[in-house]
Amino acid sequence: VNVRDLAPRDLVALALDGDRRAVGRLLTLVERAGAESDLVAELTHPLSKRAPVIGMTGAPGSGKSTLVAKLVAAMVEARAQPAVLAVDPSSPLTGGAILGDRVRMAAIDDAAFIRSVATRGHRGGLALAIPGAVRVLDAAGYAPIVIETVGVGQVEVEIAATADTTVVVVTPGMGDAVQANKAGLLEVGDIFVVNKADHRGAGDTRRDLELMLDLSHVTGHQDASYRPPVVLTNALDGAGITEVMAAIEAHRRHLDRSGQRAIRRSLRARHEIATRVDARLRSRLGAVLDAPGQRQLIEDVAAGNVSTVQAAAQVTRLVLGAEGADRPC
Amino acid sequence: VNVRDLAPRDLVALALDGDRRAVGRLLTLVERAGAESDLVAELTHPLSKRAPVIGMTGAPGSGKSTLVAKLVAAMVEARAQPAVLAVDPSSPLTGGAILGDRVRMAAIDDAAFIRSVATRGHRGGLALAIPGAVRVLDAAGYAPIVIETVGVGQVEVEIAATADTTVVVVTPGMGDAVQANKAGLLEVGDIFVVNKADHRGAGDTRRDLELMLDLSHVTGHQDASYRPPVVLTNALDGAGITEVMAAIEAHRRHLDRSGQRAIRRSLRARHEIATRVDARLRSRLGAVLDAPGQRQLIEDVAAGNVSTVQAAAQVTRLVLGAEGADRPC
């Protein structure tokens, strides 16, 4: 049977039975957004097994993908059934995910589930697709679920921050610790990994991170009962992988003991609701701005005849008013 | 007289007379957002002298700041009066901009206007502040206005894309050309600069870029009448700066000749209106989600009792309905 011919309800039933093609098809539906995506969300929502979600983020070139591959292999060895969602920014040009390092994972692909999620240049789309994809994988029994993001932009930070445990990967030298701080990664990281520890400057980068974390701890920006560890690794030869696994486990225990897990799950729920509503409001806004009646307004702003403040007030009224008109008085 | 004691209207009058402290104060008001920011926008909107806006973006460590400093020095030498808005991501931890390379610019600070804009972790805030700041500098007679963004996140790309001319800076090696493509920079760049051209691999990076640009040109994602040039530079010793200046001038001529300038200005106006409306809708959304009545809904979603799709529909009705209630029937 071709999974493309199956309805979401049948796909979910197959996914629960361990059918990998059904899982893949559900993820495709989730990525596409729209009515079928919403239906998949409705179906998988009550099926959560509460799999731990681990976010991995860091600058391009930090060896993050290799590190993820090694961690997933270690998880498989420990009899877990992990899944990886690799969030690849992709341009309209390529029309899909640049798989890149994914091939390295081929060897462990049988035991784990690996999936590249393309952003398709659509910010809101990605923010919506990720929680939906996590829910599909969670329902299908995969655990833990690793979300790997490329880059240290605000979107990547945001996605990483929705995980139960966020791992920030930096490399020695080039002020990477300072860059991580600038990008706001210091606040979201639960575990810091200095990869390529055989490179010059690994000790310095670790010291920079420890210093900034101490400062952050003192000023109270972090959960006071937990101080993120800094782990040195060399993903290529596997050095430090055991320590990262132990750090993830220690953070998991902390989450349960401190009640932080429940707090994070609520924040994640709030964030997902907000993203969905925001997407809907934006789509209304786009429709208003694209209406022929607003073309002149935009030209007036471009020409300097109307201020953006005035134009924005007018457009806001139109966005909100459209719904008001539907409601009975 | 202390500029802090002056009203926006008086500050604008002083700024038009060349008072740098008044310009600085107006930029501070714009960054803060709120009623005074809106007033500054209203006052400066009709005063635009249509200064060219040049966006400069690229990965951290690409030597972009040094390049900007050299370009600005060359502009000053050519009797222009440039201004630079350096967009620095800053964490709540540091509470302000990390000035970093700014000190290198001290030498040219008398002839040009240099300003770091902190993001304060607030995405919408930055997207609103930049066009407002450009308008202040434009009204005050600065031209061209250079917007320098750190990092290659979507926000940075978005900001760079609102310029008349966008310069993308990459460095040799580490797959920088591929990273630039992944980050969507290939579509927004009007000029590509391979800085640190004395480093190994500069030729390869250039070839990679040329290849991808040719491909992009063929598939029609770029303006068909313009093919972005790739320029090799070494900002440290000034090599290639003249070529970058010439490329900026050539692009300026293309914009005027092709009518693209007017198209870009309309897109920018639309983008700024959308950002303002979006900020307002988001603030309404935040208020709805923070209301005591929604706390249970969020917990229900976190517990898996209510789906996010259902919760989002309910919250959307509340966000839109609040305005409807204000309107007379």
Side-chain angles (χ1 to χ4, degrees):
Chain A
V1 58
N2 189 334
V3 289
R4 283 175 177 251
D5 301 330
L6 294 176
R9 197 170 297 273
D10 300 320
L11 288 167
V12 169
L14 282 172
L16 289 177
D17 272 352
D19 187 311
R20 298 168 66 93
R21 290 171 315 150
V23 174
R25 177 66 183 163
L26 286 168
L27 293 177
T28 301
L29 293 180
V30 165
E31 273 178 50
R32 273 191 203 157
E36 278 192 314
S37 173
D38 287 357
L39 179 54
V40 174
E42 293 277 355
L43 291 168
T44 52
H45 214 285
L47 301 171
S48 171
K49 300 176 177 70
R50 313 239 140 210
V53 180
I54 299 166
M56 306 262 311
T57 193
S62 61
K64 193 170 13 60
S65 298
T66 313
L67 189 72
V68 168
K70 287 283 161 70
L71 281 172
V72 166
M75 287 168 186
V76 168
E77 197 143 316
R79 305 215 157 270
Q81 204 180 357
V84 178
L85 286 170
V87 182
D88 264 334
S90 77
S91 71
L93 198 62
T94 56
I98 296 170
L99 287 169
D101 297 300
R102 278 329 105 204
V103 288
R104 297 190 204 161
M105 291 203 174
I108 50 170
D109 203 25
D110 275 352
F113 195 95
I114 319 280
R115 172 87 173 197
S116 278
V117 186
T119 68
R120 306 207 174 107
H122 194 295
R123 192 161 61 199
L126 185 67
L128 278 179
I130 295 296
V134 166
R135 210 170 286 120
V136 166
L137 293 165
D138 185 8
Y142 291 99
I145 295 160
V146 180
I147 305 171
E148 177 196 343
T149 55
V150 175
V152 293
Q154 274 150 320
V155 178
E156 289 81 2
V157 171
E158 210 173 275
I159 290 166
T162 63
D164 296 314
T165 300
T166 301
V167 182
V168 173
V169 185
V170 301
T171 43
M174 285 184 62
D176 233 18
V178 174
Q179 296 297 347
N181 184 18
K182 278 199 196 184
L185 288 173
L186 222 63
E187 281 101 49
V188 302
D190 299 307
I191 296 163
F192 290 84
V193 172
V194 181
N195 193 30
K196 305 190 181 177
D198 56 327
H199 282 39
R200 217 159 61 103
D204 287 347
T205 301
R206 181 188 206 156
R207 268 190 302 279
D208 289 353
L209 279 172
E210 299 276 10
L211 192 76
M212 289 192 281
L213 287 167
D214 284 343
L215 184 69
S216 148
H217 206 64
V218 168
T219 54
H221 283 283
Q222 300 281 348
D223 172 9
S225 66
Y226 179 82
R227 161 61 156 80
V230 180
V231 184
L232 292 179
T233 62
N234 184 356
L236 280 180
D237 70 9
I241 298 297
T242 314
E243 286 77 5
V244 177
M245 294 282 284
I248 291 172
E249 177 58 22
H251 185 252
R252 195 190 61 72
R253 284 198 306 272
H254 160 72
L255 286 179
D256 288 331
R257 212 169 43 220
S258 63
Q260 280 285 322
R261 186 182 301 279
I263 294 170
R264 290 202 182 195
R265 300 248 156 177
S266 291
L267 283 174
R268 207 189 302 173
R270 185 190 191 282
H271 186 258
E272 197 186 345
I273 297 168
T275 306
R276 273 194 174 271
V277 177
D278 193 50
R280 225 180 120 179
L281 294 175
R282 269 169 192 261
S283 122
R284 292 173 68 97
L285 170 56
V288 168
L289 283 173
D290 287 339
Q294 306 316 308
R295 204 165 295 154
Q296 189 53 49
L297 182 68
I298 292 168
E299 290 308 321
D300 283 343
V301 170
N305 301 329
V306 174
S307 82
T308 39
V309 176
Q310 286 168 4
Q314 184 176 328
V315 171
T316 304
R317 277 193 300 273
L318 287 168
V319 172
L320 297 173
E323 176 85 0
D326 294 337
R327 299 180 321 133
C329 279
Chain B
V1 58
N2 190 333
V3 290
R4 285 175 175 250
D5 301 330
L6 295 176
R9 196 170 297 272
D10 301 320
L11 288 167
V12 169
L14 282 173
L16 289 178
D17 272 352
D19 187 314
R20 297 169 68 95
R21 292 170 316 151
V23 174
R25 178 64 182 167
L26 286 167
L27 293 176
T28 302
L29 294 179
V30 165
E31 275 178 48
R32 275 191 200 153
E36 279 192 315
S37 173
D38 288 356
L39 180 53
V40 173
E42 293 277 356
L43 291 169
T44 52
H45 213 287
L47 300 172
S48 171
K49 299 176 177 71
R50 314 239 141 208
V53 180
I54 300 165
M56 305 263 309
T57 194
S62 60
K64 194 169 13 61
S65 298
T66 312
L67 189 71
V68 169
K70 287 282 161 70
L71 281 173
V72 167
M75 288 166 185
V76 168
E77 199 143 317
R79 306 214 156 270
Q81 204 180 356
V84 179
L85 286 170
V87 182
D88 264 333
S90 78
S91 71
L93 198 62
T94 55
I98 297 171
L99 287 170
D101 296 299
R102 278 329 103 204
V103 285
R104 296 188 206 164
M105 291 204 176
I108 50 168
D109 205 23
D110 275 351
F113 196 96
I114 319 281
R115 172 84 172 200
S116 278
V117 186
T119 70
R120 307 211 174 102
H122 193 293
R123 191 162 58 199
L126 185 68
L128 279 180
I130 295 296
V134 166
R135 211 168 286 120
V136 166
L137 292 165
D138 185 7
Y142 291 99
I145 296 160
V146 180
I147 305 172
E148 177 195 343
T149 56
V150 176
V152 292
Q154 274 150 319
V155 179
E156 288 81 3
V157 173
E158 209 173 279
I159 290 168
T162 63
D164 297 312
T165 300
T166 301
V167 181
V168 173
V169 185
V170 303
T171 44
M174 285 183 65
D176 234 15
V178 174
Q179 296 298 344
N181 185 16
K182 280 200 194 183
L185 287 174
L186 222 62
E187 282 100 48
V188 302
D190 301 304
I191 296 163
F192 291 84
V193 172
V194 181
N195 193 29
K196 303 186 183 181
D198 55 326
H199 282 42
R200 217 158 60 103
D204 287 347
T205 301
R206 181 189 206 157
R207 268 190 302 279
D208 289 354
L209 280 172
E210 300 276 10
L211 193 77
M212 289 191 283
L213 286 169
D214 284 342
L215 185 69
S216 147
H217 205 64
V218 168
T219 54
H221 281 286
Q222 300 282 347
D223 172 9
S225 65
Y226 180 83
R227 162 64 155 74
V230 181
V231 184
L232 292 178
T233 61
N234 184 358
L236 280 179
D237 71 8
I241 298 298
T242 313
E243 285 76 5
V244 177
M245 293 282 284
I248 291 172
E249 177 58 21
H251 185 254
R252 192 189 63 69
R253 281 197 307 269
H254 161 72
L255 286 180
D256 288 332
R257 212 170 39 222
S258 62
Q260 281 286 321
R261 185 182 303 280
I263 294 171
R264 291 203 180 193
R265 300 246 155 178
S266 291
L267 284 174
R268 205 189 302 173
R270 185 189 192 281
H271 186 258
E272 196 186 347
I273 296 168
T275 307
R276 273 194 175 268
V277 176
D278 192 50
R280 227 181 118 176
L281 294 174
R282 270 171 192 259
S283 123
R284 293 173 68 100
L285 169 57
V288 167
L289 284 172
D290 287 338
Q294 306 317 310
R295 206 166 292 153
Q296 190 53 49
L297 181 68
I298 292 168
E299 291 309 320
D300 283 343
V301 171
N305 301 329
V306 175
S307 81
T308 40
V309 177
Q310 285 167 6
Q314 185 174 327
V315 171
T316 304
R317 277 193 299 275
L318 287 168
V319 172
L320 297 174
E323 176 87 0
D326 295 336
R327 298 182 322 133
C329 278

